[in-house]
Amino acid sequence: MIEKERMIHIFKTMNKIRKFEEKALQLFEQNKLRGSVHLCIGQEAIPATVCSLLRDVDYITSTHRGHGDCIAKGAELGRAMAELMGKATGYCKGRGGSMHIADFTKGNLGANAIVGGGLPIAVGGALAAKLKGTDQVAVAFFGDGASNIGTFHESLNLASVWKLPVIFVCVNNLYGISCHVSESTSVVDIGTSRAQGYNMPGYSIDGNDVITINDVMEKAIARAKAGEGPSLVECKTYRWFGHWTGDPQVYRTRQEVEDWKQKCPIKRFKEYLITNNILTNAECVEIEEDAFNQVEAATKFALESPEPDTSKVMEDVFCEN
Amino acid sequence: MIEKERMIHIFKTMNKIRKFEEKALQLFEQNKLRGSVHLCIGQEAIPATVCSLLRDVDYITSTHRGHGDCIAKGAELGRAMAELMGKATGYCKGRGGSMHIADFTKGNLGANAIVGGGLPIAVGGALAAKLKGTDQVAVAFFGDGASNIGTFHESLNLASVWKLPVIFVCVNNLYGISCHVSESTSVVDIGTSRAQGYNMPGYSIDGNDVITINDVMEKAIARAKAGEGPSLVECKTYRWFGHWTGDPQVYRTRQEVEDWKQKCPIKRFKEYLITNNILTNAECVEIEEDAFNQVEAATKFALESPEPDTSKVMEDVFCEN
Amino acid sequence: MSIKTYAQAIRDVIAEEMRKNDKVFIMGEDIAKQGGIFGCTRGLLDEFGSERVRNTPISEAGFVGAGIGAACAGMRPIVELMYMDFTYVSMDQLLNQAAKIRYMFGGKATVPMVIRGQQGIGRGNGGQHSQCVEQFFMHIPGMKVAMPSSPSDAAGLLRTAIRDNNPVMFFEHKALYATKGEVPDDPEFAIPFGKANVLKEGKDVTIIGTHLYASKAMNVAKTLEAEGIDVEVIDPRTLVPMDTETMINSVKKTGRAVVVHEAHRTGGPGAEIASIITEGAFKYLDAPVIRLGAKQCTLPFNLGLENAVVPQEDDIIRAVKAVLYQ
Amino acid sequence: MSIKTYAQAIRDVIAEEMRKNDKVFIMGEDIAKQGGIFGCTRGLLDEFGSERVRNTPISEAGFVGAGIGAACAGMRPIVELMYMDFTYVSMDQLLNQAAKIRYMFGGKATVPMVIRGQQGIGRGNGGQHSQCVEQFFMHIPGMKVAMPSSPSDAAGLLRTAIRDNNPVMFFEHKALYATKGEVPDDPEFAIPFGKANVLKEGKDVTIIGTHLYASKAMNVAKTLEAEGIDVEVIDPRTLVPMDTETMINSVKKTGRAVVVHEAHRTGGPGAEIASIITEGAFKYLDAPVIRLGAKQCTLPFNLGLENAVVPQEDDIIRAVKAVLYQ
Ligand SMILES: Cc1ncc(C[n+]2csc(CCOP(=O)(O)OP(=O)(O)O)c2C)c(N)n1
Ligand SMILES: Cc1ncc(C[n+]2csc(CCOP(=O)(O)OP(=O)(O)O)c2C)c(N)n1
Ligand SMILES: [Mg+2]
Ligand SMILES: [Mg+2]
């Protein structure tokens, strides 16, 4: 069950992510961003809902498509946008870019440009929690494509035999770049089918529905905190834009994209909030506008931020002890 | 169903493996072998039965515990023993040793000292068969411990989405070195449980019973040849000796070992053969003696073989085109 | 001769070799309908179909291994790694399997396989998508290593790679894909491995540059010509086998050398090349060989930082002057 | 001082550090009841229990990654790789994750983790279980690299490694485990990283030897003493950071150097060290530095072949004479 407060928080987060991504796309098209920018528009319900259940002490690991995860886990929009621009004020001082935002103070152990690279690290976060005897949990976000790489298997098995407090959240947006999940993945329901190989609960759910995600995640987190071990939660969703900005998208039809846009998770949750008298339409619009304004301010901060000092490029390779 | 001929062949193979392994142990204890020697005594039913269903054109990949697999796939005992001794006449000219016997002419794509290393290679053999349009099949042998490494997952998924003619044979002997399968592996029945993550048939069967192994393998091979894709076959068995010669075996009781010795696959199959009037006791004894003699001859050959010529140590790194 | 980009040159050779030899096939991520994210397999799916142009799941160890197995079983796979950084997730299959099979199994097996893909900086891909990793394959024996620096070299070396019966690591560079150049139309055009390309003869100093740095070395040579410095420029083309003779003889003539690459400087290919030159031409050397390579930090995302980490033409000029006037 | 084997020295330091700091824990294959297949964790399970002494499934990428995550989350994991050859199955977690996290994420994160395990020849383990792989971690920045050559160094360097806030690759050598030597009893005994060990002073020639080759260099020095050749022997102890100063100064004095290691010669640590010496002491060098390392073939199983592939003491002696009399 989601308390009203948290519902509103989730809705705010979804809007922040959406506006952030829209801005990132615009900046990329204006040549103000370089590199690979992977947008998660259409998938916002997942990070927003999952992270609404986490505290700063809980861990996440994220992916190349990680803006939503890091915003949901509490990143400041300005420093995140600055990182996308490679500015000195960015989370990584401009060294990481879009694919590498981390903020350990908020429990974000980092986005990862290596598909599957983050799963074992999340397992390690959960292992630390177990060793320290805390009630921290860890969440590994990853894609449908990532469910086929070795670290997926090793991480789920390890977490299961060690009964670690980690939840594996598979964001199944039907594609890994151009490759449809049916071409790459031997099962239709990654969550329910693959969990059986690891003796853990598995779920394959609608990833555009905040309520469903929340219900399942509450169970998974309770299980983790009770010391019963990990869960695998597959959230089915869709990315509206190309794999990255500039993707010709030869692998799918416009119609398919349009159909999924009808299932917009934000619109859907907004309707839910209004129908259930949690927010009025006006309040929703205000939240949307506020999100837009926050992103505008963040962008201004980022644009005005200095470039990193090249003379410091060799700093931080090692830390002094 | 096993034809009489093949039954006898399987029994002969099991005995050859047993005698070969007993000899290898003895030679190791006499310091005539060095390196890591991993015996498969107690597990003979699996390679003998599986390979009795394969032709020379069919492929296998094997493991560090690979003597049984290579003998069952048609290796000459003399050249195999010579390789264990590092002799010039060995399968690898003494460069490979116990863990690296291969014979492409017999479809043996090689033993592998890297746990899980052989699975993708077997998948590749099956891929070649598919591309060439032949009815060849490939078998990957691997252990329970290996079922937890990334290449297991990647190989099964790949073979499944590509519907490749490969059978994954998991030799579950309850331990990976000192680590009991329950400590390393999140499921009890690797075959039936893990197959569900790959949309392929999975079996967890008695690996000490020739008849059961044969029945399941016949199905799996038929499926492979019909273009329907891979299967996962877990054969439960036990290794009687330590992980390697010299293993103190602190991780298990004598009683456990004794109990499993009662389930000796050779004794069991011998009883079956006699009960079903396929062979007389005298004929069985003759086969056992013949196996012994073959191994003795092989050992003599190996002992009398020359050491490799050190001046040729740089040959064969690359082939001339 | 046709004018082609580096990417087109690669594409065309793959297509030609696939036409000629039905044992050749290609697999990798997004190489089918998408034609590869850098376009190196564009159109191949239509011509050759989905059996011979195979999209793989994201499982590099699995499909590199499948390439090895297929090669052992008589095929000639070309395996595309989208970024050569992904060698790290498939390193065991590359260095413990592909590289060792022939030798370790006694010299009978052949593994005719090409692993190709791009590496390097230039697109703001950050630390995990910008590395140059050829050194690993120089150091551990068993694979050949090709480093084409132009469209023509890409074509000629790739044809040799596909026809080679050994596993070949074929390194493309992301910043070269769009460069154009003349490529011979001869469908048998092949450049032998182990023969360096002397891009320019000169008598004062030798610059050895790989990949991107072959053309940068040429630029530097042109700049220095104006100052009266006569530079010899050598592109080794393949690092395994390596044409040590051409490099040593060049330095015997010039007495001075600069080696430059994009891989990290410490323990990089330059250390090997500098050592070979020093061993082979010690008495002729008027100054120690200078090595240039990326600084010992992870490659950063920001463009300015990226440029600060890898050698620039100015750095090469400074190095040349240092070996000349010290 | 106590007499200990190299393996005992390692075991004792792990135990002592685990006693002192409850953030330190250890995981790896067969390290619990079995005590590690080389005995380096014997008894730890009994003393520290199965939470802090964890047997892992066979999934190196998974548990190396779990070490990284635990380190990011405030623990100080020691991860045992049974054979350092298994870095190949965990290379991405090592080089793309552990090595890059601190720098790439902007310098705030720390990854205090030790990856330890043994490498090298000597037990007939064949090509996939005998490799020396330190070069990879020298070349790609972000991890420190320790190479203890004696029980005392094992103890002193391991304590430094465990207390270091950076990821450390700690290379043991299988052929050293049984060697005995004096180890200080001081529970704070630690050897700083980046300071080479001058094992013997000499004026005629410098031998730089790592791991097994530190003691082999000492043997050679003794042999040559009888012939009136005064050898200086240096063990770099750590390759990252590397004490270039001590090596360069030594060669400025002797004018001649031989570098020897077990890793493959081509592109090996010796290429880097030889280059550093040549750059730093060029004018003092009377002969080019000679590098010795394993030949460029997979390490063979047969003992005679194994010995033919890696440098023998005779090879070192020949190299010394070559640098002296050429
Ligand atoms: C090990 C590895 N292989 C390949 C890639 C290239 N790559 C980047 S994203 C991607 C697709 C990932 O698909 P999925 O996991 O479904 O995530 P999505 O992009 O759909 O969010 C690929 C193949 C990579 N980054 N890492
Ligand atoms: C990648 C890798 N990790 C660890 C090892 C060390 N090792 C060799 S055999 C073995 C146990 C294998 O267990 P299993 O797969 O069950 O095979 P079994 O020995 O029981 O036949 C281990 C851990 C290895 N060779 N390769
Ligand atoms: Mg996806
Ligand atoms: Mg086992």
Side-chain angles (χ1 to χ4, degrees):
Chain A
M1 236 236 15
I2 325 189
E3 326 75 78
K4 184 177 165 182
E5 282 292 271
R6 193 152 62 78
M7 286 217 191
I8 297 170
H9 174 76
I10 292 172
F11 186 66
K12 286 185 176 167
T13 306
M14 290 170 83
N15 276 290
K16 277 205 285 188
I17 298 173
R18 174 72 54 96
K19 302 300 176 201
F20 185 91
E21 295 290 67
E22 284 171 355
K23 193 72 194 181
L25 176 59
Q26 187 190 324
L27 291 165
F28 186 87
E29 284 167 349
Q30 294 168 348
N31 270 318
K32 284 177 181 144
L33 291 187
R34 71 193 287 259
S36 324
V37 175
H38 306 84
L39 302 176
C40 70
I41 291 181
Q43 310 179 172
E44 298 92 339
I46 303 159
T49 312
V50 170
C51 293
S52 79
L53 288 159
L54 305 179
R55 303 152 300 175
D56 284 356
V57 293
D58 296 320
Y59 300 114
I60 67 161
T61 60
S62 174
T63 72
H64 58 286
R65 198 177 303 289
H67 307 159
D69 303 337
C70 87
I71 292 171
K73 199 68 180 51
E76 292 167 33
L77 298 182
R79 293 183 64 199
M81 192 62 91
E83 190 55 41
L84 266 62
M85 293 186 196
K87 295 299 185 76
T89 55
Y91 270 104
C92 312
K93 302 183 184 167
R95 295 183 192 141
S98 161
M99 294 198 287
H100 297 294
I101 295 178
D103 182 6
F104 285 21
T105 65
K106 289 276 199 279
N108 178 357
L109 298 184
N112 212 308
I114 300 297
V115 166
L119 280 83
I121 298 174
V123 169
L127 173 58
K130 187 170 196 218
L131 288 168
K132 290 189 276 186
T134 67
D135 72 343
Q136 291 163 287
V137 301
V139 168
F141 289 106
F142 59 98
D144 47 294
S147 79
N148 299 316
I149 200 161
T151 49
F152 166 87
H153 179 65
E154 298 191 3
S155 300
L156 270 76
N157 182 62
L158 194 58
S160 177
V161 292
W162 287 356
K163 288 201 187 308
L164 297 181
V166 52
I167 299 106
F168 298 99
V169 176
C170 177
V171 179
N172 181 353
N173 58 11
L174 299 189
Y175 292 91
I177 309 188
S178 73
C179 197
H180 191 265
V181 64
S182 61
E183 199 184 351
S184 65
T185 310
S186 46
V187 291
V188 174
D189 292 319
I190 295 168
T192 53
S193 297
R194 293 211 159 146
Q196 302 191 46
Y198 311 102
N199 187 29
M200 65 173 77
Y203 306 90
S204 293
I205 59 172
D206 183 344
N208 282 12
D209 181 30
V210 169
I211 308 300
T212 309
I213 301 169
N214 183 72
D215 285 353
V216 166
M217 283 302 297
E218 281 187 345
K219 272 187 240 169
I221 291 172
R223 176 178 151 88
K225 290 192 177 172
E228 291 161 14
S231 303
L232 173 61
V233 180
E234 176 201 9
C235 301
K236 301 205 194 251
T237 184
Y238 199 77
R239 65 165 156 75
W240 293 8
F241 288 86
H243 171 73
W244 45 41
T245 46
D247 176 356
Q249 302 182 57
V250 294
Y251 49 84
R252 63 182 185 181
T253 62
R254 265 163 212 264
Q255 190 54 49
E256 182 179 293
V257 180
E258 284 313 312
D259 290 349
W260 273 95
K261 284 191 178 170
Q262 298 313 313
K263 303 183 203 165
C264 174
I266 300 186
K267 203 177 104 210
R268 182 161 164 188
F269 192 44
K270 181 176 172 182
E271 282 163 13
Y272 177 92
L273 292 172
I274 294 170
T275 315
N276 288 276
N277 297 317
I278 292 157
L279 289 176
T280 64
N281 187 52
E283 284 168 330
C284 287
V285 171
E286 198 179 312
I287 287 172
E288 286 160 7
E289 282 170 6
D290 184 50
F292 179 83
N293 292 333
Q294 284 184 54
V295 169
E296 287 298 310
T299 307
K300 185 161 183 292
F301 167 80
L303 285 169
E304 288 169 0
S305 287
E307 292 284 318
D309 179 350
T310 55
S311 75
K312 294 190 176 157
V313 74
M314 285 301 291
E315 281 180 6
D316 300 326
V317 175
F318 292 110
C319 64
E320 302 301 315
N321 280 300
Chain B
M1 234 241 10
I2 325 188
E3 326 75 81
K4 184 177 164 182
E5 283 293 270
R6 194 153 60 80
M7 286 216 191
I8 296 169
H9 174 77
I10 292 171
F11 186 67
K12 284 185 178 169
T13 306
M14 290 170 83
N15 277 289
K16 276 206 285 190
I17 298 172
R18 174 72 55 97
K19 300 301 176 200
F20 185 91
E21 295 290 67
E22 284 170 354
K23 194 71 192 183
L25 176 59
Q26 187 191 325
L27 291 165
F28 187 87
E29 284 169 349
Q30 293 168 347
N31 271 316
K32 283 177 182 142
L33 291 185
R34 70 193 287 259
S36 322
V37 175
H38 306 84
L39 303 176
C40 69
I41 292 181
Q43 309 180 173
E44 297 91 341
I46 302 159
T49 312
V50 170
C51 294
S52 79
L53 289 159
L54 305 179
R55 304 152 298 176
D56 284 357
V57 294
D58 297 319
Y59 301 114
I60 66 161
T61 61
S62 174
T63 71
H64 58 286
R65 197 177 305 288
H67 307 160
D69 302 336
C70 86
I71 291 170
K73 197 69 179 51
E76 293 167 32
L77 298 181
R79 293 182 64 199
M81 192 61 91
E83 190 55 43
L84 266 62
M85 292 185 197
K87 294 298 185 76
T89 55
Y91 270 104
C92 312
K93 302 183 185 168
R95 295 184 193 140
S98 160
M99 294 197 287
H100 298 294
I101 294 178
D103 182 6
F104 285 20
T105 65
K106 289 279 199 283
N108 178 359
L109 300 184
N112 211 309
I114 300 298
V115 166
L119 280 81
I121 297 173
V123 169
L127 173 59
K130 187 171 195 215
L131 288 168
K132 291 188 276 187
T134 67
D135 72 344
Q136 292 164 285
V137 301
V139 168
F141 289 106
F142 58 98
D144 46 294
S147 79
N148 299 314
I149 200 160
T151 48
F152 165 88
H153 179 65
E154 298 190 4
S155 300
L156 270 75
N157 182 62
L158 194 58
S160 177
V161 293
W162 287 357
K163 289 202 188 305
L164 298 181
V166 52
I167 299 106
F168 298 99
V169 176
C170 178
V171 179
N172 181 352
N173 60 10
L174 300 189
Y175 292 90
I177 309 189
S178 73
C179 197
H180 190 266
V181 64
S182 61
E183 198 185 351
S184 66
T185 311
S186 46
V187 292
V188 174
D189 292 320
I190 295 167
T192 52
S193 298
R194 292 211 160 146
Q196 303 192 44
Y198 311 102
N199 188 29
M200 67 173 77
Y203 307 90
S204 292
I205 60 173
D206 184 343
N208 282 11
D209 181 29
V210 168
I211 308 300
T212 309
I213 300 169
N214 182 73
D215 285 355
V216 166
M217 282 302 299
E218 282 186 346
K219 273 188 239 169
I221 291 173
R223 176 177 152 87
K225 290 193 178 172
E228 291 162 15
S231 303
L232 173 61
V233 180
E234 176 201 10
C235 300
K236 301 202 195 252
T237 184
Y238 199 77
R239 65 165 156 74
W240 292 9
F241 287 86
H243 171 73
W244 44 40
T245 45
D247 176 356
Q249 302 181 58
V250 294
Y251 48 84
R252 63 183 186 181
T253 61
R254 264 165 213 262
Q255 189 56 51
E256 183 180 290
V257 179
E258 283 314 311
D259 289 349
W260 273 95
K261 285 192 180 171
Q262 298 312 312
K263 303 183 203 166
C264 174
I266 301 187
K267 204 177 103 206
R268 183 163 163 185
F269 192 47
K270 181 176 171 181
E271 282 163 13
Y272 177 93
L273 292 172
I274 295 170
T275 314
N276 289 277
N277 298 316
I278 292 157
L279 289 177
T280 63
N281 187 52
E283 284 167 331
C284 288
V285 171
E286 200 179 311
I287 287 173
E288 286 160 8
E289 282 170 5
D290 184 51
F292 180 83
N293 292 333
Q294 285 184 52
V295 169
E296 286 299 308
T299 308
K300 186 162 181 290
F301 168 80
L303 284 169
E304 288 170 1
S305 288
E307 292 285 317
D309 179 350
T310 55
S311 75
K312 295 192 177 155
V313 74
M314 285 301 291
E315 281 180 6
D316 301 325
V317 175
F318 292 110
C319 63
E320 302 303 316
N321 280 303
Chain C
M1 289 284 182
S2 305
I3 302 287
K4 290 182 188 178
T5 65
Y6 187 89
Q8 281 163 346
I10 288 165
R11 199 216 79 93
D12 289 353
V13 170
I14 296 171
E16 285 161 21
E17 293 302 301
M18 284 181 73
R19 265 172 229 136
K20 273 179 254 175
N21 186 343
D22 62 10
K23 297 268 181 295
V24 179
F25 72 101
I26 183 160
M27 57 180 164
E29 291 155 8
D30 304 287
I31 64 157
K33 219 182 266 179
Q34 183 96 346
I37 66 166
F38 298 96
C40 295
T41 58
R42 202 163 285 161
L44 297 184
L45 176 67
D46 289 341
E47 181 172 353
F48 300 103
S50 59
E51 281 293 299
R52 293 179 69 197
V53 181
R54 307 183 79 88
N55 263 1
T56 58
I58 307 173
S59 45
E60 283 79 2
F63 69 78
V64 167
I68 297 168
C72 290
M75 301 297 293
R76 305 186 75 84
I78 303 172
V79 179
E80 174 169 315
L81 289 178
M82 192 184 281
Y83 288 77
M84 280 295 190
D85 308 70
F86 307 157
T87 52
Y88 293 178
V89 290
S90 47
M91 201 56 97
D92 184 73
Q93 290 295 326
L94 294 167
L95 291 183
N96 265 337
Q97 314 298 339
K100 294 186 172 42
I101 281 177
R102 179 172 181 77
Y103 182 87
M104 193 170 64
F105 288 161
K108 286 149 303 186
T110 53
V111 187
M113 174 176 60
V114 177
I115 308 283
R116 50 160 291 276
Q118 56 75 37
Q119 63 176 20
I121 62 155
R123 292 175 67 108
N125 289 147
Q128 296 172 334
H129 278 56
S130 304
Q131 297 164 90
C132 292
V133 301
E134 64 269 23
Q135 173 69 13
F136 296 167
F137 305 93
M138 280 179 73
H139 182 47
I140 301 296
M143 301 180 95
K144 297 188 177 177
V145 177
M147 308 277 291
S149 62
S150 69
S152 163
D153 273 24
L157 292 171
L158 184 55
R159 183 165 284 108
T160 303
I162 296 172
R163 295 182 179 184
D164 200 295
N165 282 327
N166 298 285
V168 177
M169 293 296 303
F170 191 85
F171 289 95
E172 298 156 17
H173 195 293
K174 55 169 82 58
L176 287 173
Y177 278 134
T179 58
K180 287 191 177 161
E182 295 212 317
V183 178
D185 294 319
D186 176 4
E188 296 295 308
F189 169 65
I191 298 175
F193 282 7
K195 193 79 208 68
N197 191 10
V198 181
L199 287 165
K200 176 183 174 302
E201 296 198 11
K203 58 180 185 1
D204 297 333
V205 57
T206 304
I207 306 182
I208 295 163
T210 58
H211 246 190
L212 272 194
Y213 286 89
S215 60
K216 288 197 203 282
M218 285 300 284
N219 294 345
V220 164
K222 262 169 235 146
T223 309
L224 291 174
E225 203 157 42
E227 303 183 27
I229 300 172
D230 189 13
V231 179
E232 177 143 319
V233 177
I234 298 178
D235 172 2
R237 274 184 168 156
T238 56
L239 296 177
V240 180
M242 173 126 62
D243 181 359
T244 56
E245 203 185 317
T246 297
M247 297 190 287
I248 291 169
N249 286 339
S250 170
V251 179
K252 281 186 178 167
K253 174 176 69 177
T254 61
R256 301 156 199 277
V258 171
V259 189
V260 55
H261 54 62
E262 190 183 313
H264 289 291
R265 181 177 184 277
T266 298
E272 179 64 28
I273 294 173
S275 295
I276 285 172
I277 291 172
T278 309
E279 288 152 10
F282 184 70
K283 297 204 176 107
Y284 303 82
L285 273 181
D286 297 312
V289 181
I290 289 188
R291 303 176 285 150
L292 299 174
K295 292 194 168 69
Q296 292 308 112
C297 66
T298 293
L299 292 151
F301 164 72
N302 173 281
L303 183 61
L305 293 180
E306 212 177 57
N307 287 336
V309 167
V310 301
Q312 301 298 311
E313 288 181 14
D314 277 353
D315 299 317
I316 307 174
I317 292 173
R318 259 192 302 277
V320 167
K321 293 188 177 169
V323 287
L324 277 171
Y325 308 124
Q326 77 175 12
Chain D
M1 290 286 182
S2 305
I3 301 286
K4 289 182 188 178
T5 66
Y6 186 89
Q8 281 163 347
I10 288 165
R11 198 214 80 92
D12 289 353
V13 169
I14 296 171
E16 284 160 22
E17 294 303 298
M18 285 182 72
R19 266 173 227 134
K20 272 180 251 173
N21 186 343
D22 62 8
K23 297 267 183 293
V24 180
F25 72 101
I26 182 159
M27 57 181 163
E29 290 155 8
D30 304 287
I31 64 158
K33 218 183 264 177
Q34 183 95 347
I37 67 164
F38 297 96
C40 295
T41 57
R42 201 161 288 160
L44 297 184
L45 176 69
D46 289 338
E47 181 172 354
F48 300 103
S50 58
E51 281 293 298
R52 294 180 68 197
V53 181
R54 307 184 80 89
N55 263 1
T56 59
I58 306 172
S59 46
E60 283 80 2
F63 68 77
V64 167
I68 296 169
C72 290
M75 301 298 292
R76 305 186 74 84
I78 302 171
V79 179
E80 174 168 315
L81 288 178
M82 193 184 280
Y83 288 76
M84 279 296 189
D85 308 71
F86 307 158
T87 52
Y88 294 177
V89 289
S90 46
M91 200 57 95
D92 184 73
Q93 290 295 325
L94 294 167
L95 291 183
N96 266 337
Q97 315 297 339
K100 295 187 169 43
I101 282 178
R102 179 175 182 76
Y103 182 87
M104 191 171 65
F105 288 161
K108 286 150 303 187
T110 54
V111 187
M113 173 175 61
V114 178
I115 308 282
R116 51 161 290 276
Q118 55 75 38
Q119 65 176 19
I121 62 154
R123 291 175 68 108
N125 289 148
Q128 297 172 332
H129 278 57
S130 304
Q131 298 164 92
C132 292
V133 300
E134 62 269 24
Q135 173 68 14
F136 298 164
F137 304 92
M138 279 179 74
H139 182 47
I140 301 296
M143 301 180 94
K144 298 188 177 178
V145 177
M147 307 276 291
S149 62
S150 69
S152 162
D153 273 24
L157 292 170
L158 184 56
R159 183 166 283 108
T160 303
I162 295 173
R163 295 183 180 183
D164 200 294
N165 282 327
N166 298 285
V168 178
M169 293 297 301
F170 192 85
F171 289 95
E172 299 156 17
H173 195 294
K174 55 170 81 59
L176 288 173
Y177 278 135
T179 58
K180 286 190 178 164
E182 295 213 317
V183 178
D185 294 317
D186 175 4
E188 296 295 308
F189 168 65
I191 297 174
F193 281 7
K195 195 75 209 71
N197 190 11
V198 181
L199 287 164
K200 175 181 174 305
E201 296 196 11
K203 57 180 188 358
D204 296 332
V205 57
T206 305
I207 306 182
I208 296 164
T210 57
H211 246 187
L212 272 193
Y213 286 89
S215 61
K216 288 198 204 282
M218 285 298 284
N219 294 343
V220 164
K222 261 170 235 144
T223 308
L224 291 173
E225 202 158 44
E227 302 184 27
I229 301 171
D230 190 14
V231 180
E232 178 143 317
V233 178
I234 298 178
D235 172 2
R237 274 184 169 153
T238 57
L239 297 177
V240 180
M242 173 126 62
D243 182 358
T244 56
E245 201 185 318
T246 297
M247 296 189 288
I248 291 169
N249 286 340
S250 171
V251 179
K252 282 187 180 167
K253 177 176 69 177
T254 62
R256 301 155 199 278
V258 171
V259 190
V260 55
H261 54 62
E262 192 183 312
H264 288 292
R265 182 177 183 278
T266 297
E272 178 65 28
I273 294 172
S275 295
I276 285 172
I277 291 171
T278 309
E279 287 151 11
F282 185 69
K283 294 195 179 118
Y284 303 82
L285 273 181
D286 297 312
V289 180
I290 290 188
R291 302 176 285 149
L292 299 175
K295 292 194 168 71
Q296 292 309 109
C297 66
T298 294
L299 292 151
F301 164 73
N302 173 281
L303 182 62
L305 294 180
E306 211 177 57
N307 287 334
V309 168
V310 301
Q312 301 297 310
E313 287 182 15
D314 276 354
D315 299 317
I316 308 174
I317 291 174
R318 261 192 301 276
V320 167
K321 292 187 177 168
V323 288
L324 276 171
Y325 307 124
Q326 80 175 7

